[in-house]
Amino acid sequence: MQPLLISFAAATSALIVASSTIQGASGYFQPNSTGIKLQNGYERVYIQPFGNHGMRVRASIMRDPTGNEWSALLDPPIEGPGGNNGLGHDITVPYQGNATIRNGNLTASITLGVLSFFRVEPNGSTTLLTKEFTDTKAILPRFYTQDFRSSSFQSQFDFASDPDEQFYGAGQQACCMDHSVNKKGQVVDLINYNSHVTLPVYMSNKGYLQYFNMPSEGRIEFGTLRTRHVASEATVVDYYITTAAPGDYDALQRQFTAVTGRQPTPPDFILGYQQSKLRYFNQTQILDLAQRFHDEEVNVSLIVVDFFAWKYQGDWSFNPEFWPDPAEMAAKVKSLTGAEMMVSLWPSMEDLSINYLPTQMQGILATTKDGTGVSDSFAGVYTRLIDSTNPAAREFLWKRLNDSYYSAGIHNFWIDQADGGTLGEAFENNGQPITQMPWARAFSQYFIGTQEAAGKMYPWFHQQAINEGFSNLTGKDISTQCEHMSLTRSTFVGGQRFCSYLWSGDTDSTFDVLLQQITAGVSVGASGISSWTVFAFLTKITETVQGRELFVRWLGMGVFLPYRPCLIEVCRDRVCSLPLDPRQVIANPCPNEPWSYGEANFVIIKKYIALRYQLKPYVKRLFEMLQQTGKTIMRPLYYDFSLTDPFVVNGTKTNDYTIIHQFMQGPRLLIAPVGELGATTKDVYLPILSDEAKSQGFTWTHWWTDKDFGTGGKLVNVDAPLDEIPVFYLGSKDDILSGSV
Ligand SMILES: *[C@@H]1O[C@H](CO)[C@@H](O)[C@H](O)[C@H]1NC(C)=O
Ligand SMILES: *[C@@H]1O[C@H](CO)[C@@H](O)[C@H](O)[C@H]1NC(C)=O
Ligand SMILES: *[C@@H]1O[C@H](CO)[C@@H](O)[C@H](O)[C@H]1NC(C)=O
Ligand SMILES: *[C@@H]1O[C@H](CO)[C@@H](O)[C@H](O)[C@H]1NC(C)=O
Ligand SMILES: *[C@@H]1O[C@H](CO)[C@@H](O)[C@H](O)[C@H]1NC(C)=O
Ligand SMILES: *[C@@H]1O[C@H](CO)[C@@H](O)[C@H](O)[C@H]1NC(C)=O
Ligand SMILES: *[C@@H]1O[C@H](CO)[C@@H](O)[C@H](O)[C@H]1NC(C)=O
Ligand SMILES: *[C@@H]1O[C@H](CO)[C@@H](O)[C@H](O)[C@H]1NC(C)=O
Ligand SMILES: *[C@@H]1O[C@H](CO)[C@@H](O)[C@H](O)[C@H]1NC(C)=O
């Protein structure tokens, strides 16, 4: 079928309703308009002030957006003007019109129908940030393709960019060869699957952040001269842009999280050590495990029960054959170790589940274009997906989770495999992997729309289900402080507002991927999602000396990540010669507890776990700052050093490993993980400190020896034995350990 192409450029003659303009008392320039509507034939574009120094733009064809399309934007924003305004506007610009409005330091101008954004500088001059990309004979910057069978369209929006501009964020691409912090030159696919949590948001080193408030699949192309956002299916193109002084990434994050949500502070236990494996398959094993942690005097804060503790997929309960008394188990774990428990939750539903008929009858399973709803197969059965985008499905799911787990004292949930479309893996035909089949296939249909139009937010609604459950059950406001957590393999923009934390998916446990994970983590942090940790999955952790070394290196890095030093999957999957239990689905019997990597390593592992507990006050403080102002926890070097260190700017631009394989944890710690087998020393780049840091007397000080290495601007070589991950600190160690930063 031939699609109809509809596209637009532009307009004359302005019909401007001026509104008054006042410089606020704080020096903040209050919006001088409630919004512009450009009526461009059958296209319309709304531009409204939104949040501090921000604008929201919505564009549609044939009809106005309903205003009820799904949105991760908080309306009104937590901070700043705008919001509560629907499609309100006081300026109407017809075909070929001009108009300019200002909010704080951001102005939006329509000139002959083309939209540009400027920052107003302190001296009153303006700097062009970006504009809709136009050129002689170039495809029009707002481009829509409509399929006559539906009232939606595919959109393609182009924005001008400078050849040497840098772009950061775009969510998590954890795939193996993508060691990048600067995304310029890349194509980022907006689709979810295991370890791929790309997000339609990026920051520019020119001092702006742009976010496409659309759950559509599609892609972002960071081309030489233009940045293109493509949405596979939409009824409105909805984006937000905000500006700050170049180099002030904390301000961009503050403004962005004020319109998309702030991470509530986590309960203390998520800052400690967490133990899991693939998998403990019965209650006795968990009790033995807790007893051993108790006897070895190793701190543990969370013990996790992985998948297939259920009898049938979709039961959302323990199989009583192997888990006779969950409440007793949780109570014993708590009394022996103080640890909380977590269980895995999959979205898949098989026909034999007790929940199959009720969910099918209520229409709360996702369906497919062929009507069957079958979207995957796993462990020998075909499965459907619970449609968590439907409020009734969320209520149903939570009721089961409450009955089976929460009321038994197991309060934390691991949202695994809920990437949407399928189970987020290469399609399996009854257990036979066909690895070249596409992942999230586009034929799923949800309450909120199709996989193409809305599938990016399927995981987000699972987070919401559990969040609502917590808050309904406890009757507490959990928007700023959490008592429980969910752990999730995927999310969408705004997912940070939940008591829910992202991990990087089932990545390979190799040294190369260990380093790559740093770039994935800082990129997702630059997208507003700061509570993040790594896993390393699959079969590379073996009984060999090398495998154990990799494990310890990985654990060392985990100590300095926002949460969870023992990355469950590292700790979860080992290869050994023990046989699998034939009664169990994928239950690796190989030991993976801290004491199972040899005596010498156990000493090191205990040292790292103890260090993590020592650092808890610091990490807690970082989460408080995240909650208050959206300040990113895991920080790429450009955040803190682009204004002082040209080498950081250059290295970030070219994705130089010297720069992008290091990160700051909060404002005081620089981490340079070792990503090489057998290394005994490590070259670490110490960035040039700002005048402000110098005036506080800060110097780079080696964590393990307290040796002073000066104010930066040089590569240094430090000892890096297995028990001493290279770390440098600023200021006093006592302040760091007591959390007074
Ligand atoms: C709109 O702006 C353009 C470019 O500055 C100018 O050529 C045109 O005359 C303006 N139109 C109106 C109606 O002011
Ligand atoms: C708003 O302020 C900007 C910058 O001062 C100005 O260019 C623009 O014309 C004003 N718009 C209105 C509608 O007052
Ligand atoms: C105003 O400030 C901008 C940004 O700092 C700078 O590029 C420009 O040169 C300044 N203009 C004047 C006239 O000082
Ligand atoms: C932006 O506006 C604030 C007032 O809210 C002002 O203090 C600041 O200097 C401005 N920043 C830039 C880069 O113009
Ligand atoms: C639980 O697992 C242990 C192996 O760790 C096994 O010896 C025991 O028989 C299992 N119990 C049940 C009820 O399966
Ligand atoms: C939480 O309570 C609200 C209000 O009663 C209800 O609409 C919602 O479905 C509940 N959520 C869950 C997950 O039970
Ligand atoms: C949660 O479970 C408890 C115990 O079974 C029950 O009393 C309570 O009503 C349940 N709450 C919800 C919201 O289902
Ligand atoms: C275990 O955790 C407690 C509470 O955080 C702490 O006081 C204690 O020092 C920790 N023990 C070790 C060995 O790290
Ligand atoms: C940055 O790179 C440019 C060339 O790309 C080079 O001229 C300059 O010396 C570099 N600066 C630093 C501080 O590395």
Side-chain angles (χ1 to χ4, degrees):
M1 161 158 194
Q2 188 73 16
L4 175 72
L5 299 185
I6 303 173
S7 46
F8 289 95
T12 341
S13 119
L15 192 152
I16 295 179
V17 185
S19 71
S20 58
T21 293
I22 317 111
Q23 195 89 15
S26 62
Y28 186 89
F29 189 101
Q30 292 300 323
N32 59 7
S33 158
T34 59
I36 300 173
K37 177 181 183 184
L38 168 66
Q39 179 74 46
N40 192 28
Y42 38 85
E43 184 198 35
R44 53 273 274 157
V45 181
Y46 292 88
I47 305 143
Q48 298 170 314
F50 201 81
N52 281 321
H53 313 289
M55 297 282 174
R56 180 179 186 184
V57 179
R58 278 174 283 182
S60 63
I61 51 171
M62 308 316 296
R63 55 194 73 84
D64 277 337
T66 63
N68 295 321
E69 292 84 4
W70 179 83
S71 168
L73 292 176
L74 297 169
D75 188 2
I78 299 172
E79 293 166 3
N84 267 339
N85 184 29
L87 295 170
H89 55 280
D90 52 20
I91 300 174
T92 301
V93 180
Y95 185 63
Q96 292 279 319
N98 300 339
T100 296
I101 61 174
R102 179 174 172 189
N103 174 20
N105 296 335
L106 182 68
T107 66
S109 283
I110 291 185
T111 308
L112 301 175
V114 176
L115 187 51
S116 312
F117 299 97
F118 300 86
R119 179 178 51 239
V120 182
E121 304 292 357
N123 64 13
S125 71
T126 56
T127 304
L128 177 66
L129 300 170
T130 186
K131 64 191 284 282
E132 291 175 335
F133 180 84
T134 53
D135 194 8
T136 323
K137 307 287 187 191
I139 198 167
L140 295 164
R142 301 191 302 269
F143 192 82
Y144 311 83
T145 309
Q146 205 175 17
D147 176 338
F148 265 119
R149 285 174 301 184
S150 72
S151 51
S152 55
F153 48 77
Q154 182 191 311
S155 64
Q156 178 177 301
F157 272 43
D158 290 349
F159 296 88
S161 104
D162 299 337
D164 64 351
E165 192 168 353
Q166 300 183 31
F167 291 103
Y168 315 122
Q172 172 186 296
Q173 294 189 86
C175 187
C176 341
M177 282 159 62
D178 174 29
H179 293 252
S180 69
V181 164
N182 177 17
K183 302 295 175 187
K184 182 75 167 182
Q186 288 207 17
V187 174
V188 173
D189 293 309
L190 299 173
I191 181 172
N192 296 345
Y193 51 86
N194 188 348
S195 83
H196 198 79
V197 191
T198 48
L199 299 170
V201 52
Y202 44 82
M203 300 195 290
S204 157
N205 67 334
K206 288 171 77 178
Y208 66 92
L209 174 151
Q210 192 167 10
Y211 158 53
F212 288 85
N213 184 37
M214 300 158 75
S216 315
E217 293 189 342
R219 64 186 181 276
I220 303 171
E221 301 168 5
F222 292 103
T224 310
L225 295 174
R226 65 183 156 188
T227 303
R228 169 173 293 172
H229 175 268
V230 177
S232 302
E233 188 188 342
T235 52
V236 58
V237 176
D238 184 355
Y239 68 90
Y240 158 86
I241 184 167
T242 189
T243 188
D248 195 349
Y249 299 101
D250 285 331
L252 291 178
Q253 288 296 318
R254 180 177 184 142
Q255 287 150 213
F256 177 54
T257 55
V259 301
T260 55
R262 298 251 165 86
Q263 186 88 50
T265 55
D268 272 9
F269 69 85
I270 93 155
L271 308 178
Y273 177 79
Q274 311 187 4
Q275 175 68 31
S276 166
K277 85 169 179 182
L278 184 165
R279 61 192 174 85
Y280 302 113
F281 62 78
N282 73 40
Q283 188 171 320
T284 316
Q285 294 170 349
I286 295 286
L287 293 175
D288 292 348
L289 177 74
Q291 186 67 50
R292 184 82 185 261
F293 269 103
H294 172 269
D295 296 348
E296 299 282 356
E297 297 181 348
V298 176
N299 275 334
V300 59
S301 296
L302 186 73
I303 289 180
V304 184
V305 177
D306 203 344
F307 65 9
F308 286 89
W310 47 77
K311 187 164 184 192
Y312 298 114
Q313 295 179 62
D315 279 355
W316 302 310
S317 64
F318 281 117
N319 180 350
E321 186 184 349
F322 300 106
W323 309 87
D325 195 342
E328 185 193 65
M329 171 177 71
K332 277 201 176 148
V333 163
K334 184 100 191 172
S335 72
L336 283 167
T337 63
E340 295 287 318
M341 289 196 68
M342 171 181 277
V343 286
S344 167
L345 144 70
W346 275 32
S348 49
M349 174 66 69
E350 64 179 273
D351 293 6
L352 290 176
S353 170
I354 44 159
N355 293 320
Y356 172 61
L357 274 180
T359 50
Q360 188 68 287
M361 273 163 24
Q362 288 179 50
I364 54 177
L365 295 175
T367 189
T368 49
K369 278 179 192 160
D370 68 3
T372 65
V374 171
S375 59
D376 216 330
S377 95
F378 198 96
V381 292
Y382 286 103
T383 59
R384 296 171 175 81
L385 290 178
I386 181 80
D387 181 6
S388 288
T389 74
N390 183 332
R394 295 199 289 275
E395 208 167 308
F396 185 98
L397 175 65
W398 176 255
K399 196 166 166 18
R400 293 295 182 276
L401 297 176
N402 171 53
D403 289 345
S404 310
Y405 307 116
Y406 191 96
S407 58
I410 299 173
H411 295 160
N412 305 288
F413 298 94
W414 178 6
I415 306 168
D416 196 4
Q417 215 75 2
D419 312 72
T422 60
L423 288 174
E425 309 281 352
F427 186 74
E428 290 194 25
N429 185 20
N430 274 333
Q432 301 164 308
I434 304 171
T435 50
Q436 294 308 309
M437 291 287 275
W439 272 292
R441 285 161 301 150
F443 64 12
S444 294
Q445 308 258 5
Y446 309 109
F447 178 79
I448 56 159
T450 63
Q451 176 68 25
E452 282 148 303
K456 284 289 289 171
M457 57 177 298
Y458 177 81
W460 194 96
F461 280 110
H462 277 270
Q463 296 177 285
Q464 194 191 28
I466 292 178
N467 220 63
E468 277 177 15
F470 289 155
S471 122
N472 284 2
L473 208 62
T474 59
K476 287 189 182 156
D477 174 11
I478 52 171
S479 59
T480 58
Q481 204 181 345
C482 305
E483 292 181 356
H484 315 303
M485 71 177 286
S486 67
L487 170 67
T488 188
R489 189 168 81 183
S490 193
T491 187
F492 192 69
V493 168
Q496 72 274 7
R497 75 181 70 145
F498 300 129
C499 294
S500 189
Y501 308 86
L502 180 70
W503 100 88
S504 65
D506 297 344
T507 50
D508 287 356
S509 43
T510 64
F511 276 108
D512 179 61
V513 171
L514 183 156
L515 295 175
Q516 183 278 334
Q517 288 288 290
I518 298 167
T519 65
V522 299
S523 297
V524 87
S527 312
I529 310 276
S530 219
S531 56
W532 176 91
T533 199
V534 290
F535 268 15
F537 194 61
L538 305 182
T539 51
K540 301 282 170 33
I541 307 280
T542 64
E543 294 308 290
T544 62
V545 172
Q546 292 83 351
R548 291 172 170 194
E549 178 176 329
L550 173 61
F551 171 82
V552 176
R553 289 294 190 199
W554 214 299
L555 178 67
M557 175 163 86
V559 170
F560 294 95
L561 291 176
Y563 75 102
R564 207 168 54 167
C566 189
L567 330 149
I568 293 184
E569 311 292 302
V570 169
C571 311
R572 168 171 134 163
D573 213 25
R574 298 175 81 194
V575 173
C576 68
S577 48
L578 295 176
L580 293 175
D581 184 325
R583 297 170 304 168
Q584 299 290 336
V585 177
I586 317 174
N588 186 340
C590 308
N592 77 340
E593 297 73 21
W595 43 86
S596 36
Y597 294 85
E599 260 318 303
N601 285 329
F602 187 28
V603 174
I604 300 173
I605 291 165
K606 280 194 285 193
K607 176 174 164 180
Y608 278 135
I609 293 176
L611 175 59
R612 177 64 187 200
Y613 281 83
Q614 270 189 291
L615 285 168
K616 267 176 77 174
Y618 178 67
V619 181
K620 198 176 158 131
R621 176 74 194 118
L622 303 185
F623 271 103
E624 278 166 17
M625 295 194 280
L626 179 67
Q627 152 54 211
Q628 284 153 10
T629 63
K631 192 177 170 100
T632 307
I633 294 180
M634 183 177 176
R635 305 165 69 80
L637 298 191
Y638 68 81
Y639 261 62
D640 296 299
F641 307 105
S642 359
L643 297 178
T644 55
D645 193 336
F647 189 67
V648 168
V649 176
N650 268 18
T652 306
K653 180 178 175 188
T654 59
N655 290 311
D656 180 339
Y657 288 179
T658 314
I659 297 300
I660 67 168
H661 285 163
Q662 302 186 175
F663 63 97
M664 295 290 289
Q665 190 206 26
R668 298 291 191 87
L669 297 176
L670 173 74
I671 325 294
V674 173
E676 195 190 336
L677 183 68
T680 53
T681 63
K682 164 96 181 162
D683 286 336
V684 180
Y685 182 70
L686 301 176
I688 299 170
L689 293 178
S690 66
D691 289 342
E692 193 201 333
K694 286 181 196 159
S695 73
Q696 288 175 270
F698 289 178
T699 54
W700 291 113
T701 313
H702 185 234
W703 182 265
W704 304 100
T705 59
D706 294 321
K707 184 174 169 213
D708 184 341
F709 281 81
T711 55
K714 59 184 175 187
L715 266 177
V716 299
N717 184 271
V718 291
D719 286 341
L722 211 46
D723 63 340
E724 293 185 2
I725 177 177
V727 172
F728 287 80
Y729 65 95
L730 295 171
S732 110
K733 209 182 214 173
D734 287 344
D735 281 350
I736 293 168
L737 292 175
S738 65
S740 20
V741 297

